[in-house]
Amino acid sequence: MVPDAAALQRRARQLLPAEVYDYYAGGSGRERTLRANVKAWRQVWLAPRVLRDVSATDTAVRLLGAAFATPVAVAPTAFHRMAHPDGELATAAGAAGAGALYVLSTRSTRRIEDVGAVVAAGGGTWWYQVYVMRDRELTAGLVRRAAAAGAAALVLTADTPVVGHKRRSEQARVTVGDEDFLVNLGPLADLGGTTQAADVTFADIGWLTEIGGGLPVVVKGVLRPDDALACAAHGAAAVIVSNHGGRQLDGAIPTAWALPAVAAAARAGPVPAGPVPAGPVPAGPVPAGPVPAGPVPAGPVPAGPVPAGPVPAGPVPAGLEGFGVYVDGGIRTGHDVLTALVLGARAVFLGRPVLWALACGGADGVRELLTGLTAELAHLMALAGAASVPEVPAAAAPDPGSPAAGQPDHRLTISPDGGRR
């Protein structure tokens, strides 16, 4: 049965206290990005292939060396016990039962070790999401505990130097009890140290790798190609294209529009080493048309928008071989998952739909959501002419006129209320 995320949300709204629902559902500011995230996936048109053998489709993927039954993963979200008494234990069990990756939030309401044990019992794999807090020793202790409990990677959330203002949750004033908030932090005399630090930099990728005993670090919250390349240069294993579900900077680009440029940068690899030319970068648009053959001319790189068009095929440079690009934000259907794979993601992460499924059905609800989306994806892959996930980008190349294909004139067509203009 194909999951209906909207129906799950409506049911969850009836089941949850109003302030809890608003905390989960709300976005920052006027919620422009929150609405645009969902709509942007539906503005991409696909070009499927025909006469391919799709008598069997395989949704299996490998992420950072681990095998999963599906590219649909569970994003880190906070305070699951507000949605269900079993909290993150139920979410983790549901993900493991679906063969999906689970990412545990720093703001978990269940002990790290208990969540790790549930995932291990289900034969699953989990990563640990990290907020670098003002008290760095507190952060380091949590990371070490996660590594000891079996986390396979660390996910550094990079887009929260401060927390975005959210009218809905601030008006509702949801309260998380000390039992839940401090379950992994322990008794603290001063809660100020648990606030996200505003001085986090690219250097902290290496710091997390070190205190995590060499665990790979994934950076979440990247929307720009230059930031993705900088993450890779500082040792990140992957990035998650994300605007925090529309909960941070309102007006940030929808992830469906940001993804192609980040994926293209990962394919192209880093800029060759060498001295940076002196002087200002000249302004002006990038000339249209193909890049002329021959040696690259000397001098600074002109500024301007990235030209539209597909990413040229070819081997990934050694510097970014295996570098992962994932995405979250507004993904609600198997078609959204397929679109994300077409645009260059190796996996997608779900946030709010998992919370709605948890509220409605606990571990079974989460498992049914994930397996249902995976089954829908397998069906759509066959329609697109792709027998496996790696074949999807070639099987259904995005129409070059769709917003996510890089046409800047289309990137102005979402109005503040989420409608088309």
Side-chain angles (χ1 to χ4, degrees):
M1 182 177 178
V2 176
D4 186 339
L8 272 177
Q9 181 171 355
R10 289 191 296 269
R11 186 177 169 205
R13 187 171 193 171
Q14 295 173 343
L15 294 171
L16 295 171
E19 66 273 16
V20 172
Y21 173 82
D22 283 340
Y23 174 80
Y24 288 147
S28 61
R30 296 167 60 193
E31 300 187 344
R32 296 169 58 218
T33 297
L34 174 67
R35 292 188 294 270
N37 267 351
V38 176
K39 288 183 175 291
W41 295 110
R42 290 150 201 190
Q43 295 172 335
V44 180
W45 295 89
L46 308 179
R49 297 191 302 183
V50 297
L51 297 179
R52 269 47 176 205
D53 182 358
V54 289
S55 54
T57 53
D58 182 5
T59 61
V61 294
R62 295 191 71 85
L63 305 175
L64 303 187
F68 300 92
T70 175
V72 183
V74 176
T77 51
F79 308 135
H80 286 202
R81 267 177 49 82
M82 294 197 304
H84 189 276
D86 293 336
E88 289 80 3
L89 299 180
T91 315
L101 170 64
Y102 175 60
V103 184
L104 177 67
S105 170
T106 289
R107 307 302 187 194
S108 170
T109 53
R110 288 293 192 176
R111 293 180 68 251
I112 293 169
E113 292 79 5
D114 294 341
V115 174
V118 165
V119 176
T125 300
W126 64 287
W127 298 350
Y128 184 67
Q129 177 266 336
V130 181
Y131 284 125
V132 176
M133 295 177 280
R134 292 178 183 176
D135 184 341
R136 289 198 170 227
E137 282 306 309
L138 187 58
T139 303
L142 293 174
V143 168
R144 294 188 183 104
R145 283 175 58 191
L154 303 172
V155 178
L156 169 62
T157 295
D159 58 0
T160 57
V162 295
V163 177
H165 292 299
K166 305 166 189 70
R167 286 184 301 172
R168 278 202 258 179
S169 58
E170 288 170 358
Q171 291 170 354
R173 297 193 178 187
V174 64
T175 301
V176 180
D178 287 351
E179 178 185 359
D180 287 335
F181 186 80
L182 297 174
V183 66
N184 286 303
L185 303 175
L188 296 173
D190 180 11
L191 294 181
T194 67
T195 302
Q196 283 97 295
D199 60 351
V200 181
T201 69
F202 291 106
D204 288 305
I205 297 171
W207 177 67
L208 287 177
T209 301
E210 180 180 355
I211 63 175
L215 286 179
V217 175
V218 178
V219 180
K220 178 179 179 290
V222 173
L223 294 171
R224 298 168 54 101
D226 56 346
D227 280 347
L229 292 177
C231 288
H234 284 81
V239 294
I240 301 176
V241 176
S242 174
N243 53 39
H244 215 98
R247 294 172 68 86
Q248 283 300 100
L249 178 64
D250 193 29
I253 185 173
T255 52
W257 293 359
L259 173 58
V262 173
R267 285 191 182 93
V271 177
V276 178
V281 178
V286 177
V291 178
V296 177
V301 180
V306 179
V311 179
V316 177
L320 288 186
E321 187 70 48
F323 187 74
V325 175
Y326 317 134
V327 70
D328 69 17
I331 294 168
R332 300 291 182 265
T333 68
H335 197 284
D336 296 340
V337 177
L338 178 71
T339 301
L341 298 176
V342 167
L343 297 181
R346 296 187 182 184
V348 305
F349 289 79
L350 300 182
R352 290 180 181 90
V354 171
L355 290 170
W356 310 142
L358 175 66
C360 294
D364 288 342
V366 172
R367 176 181 51 78
E368 290 167 6
L369 170 69
L370 297 171
T371 56
L373 287 174
T374 302
E376 184 185 8
L377 172 64
H379 173 72
L380 294 169
M381 284 169 53
L383 293 175
S388 66
V389 171
E391 292 180 16
V392 169
D399 174 76
S402 64
Q407 297 289 345
D409 54 325
H410 287 285
R411 295 190 180 193
L412 303 175
T413 59
I414 289 188
S415 65
D417 64 358
R420 294 298 298 274
R421 284 184 173 175

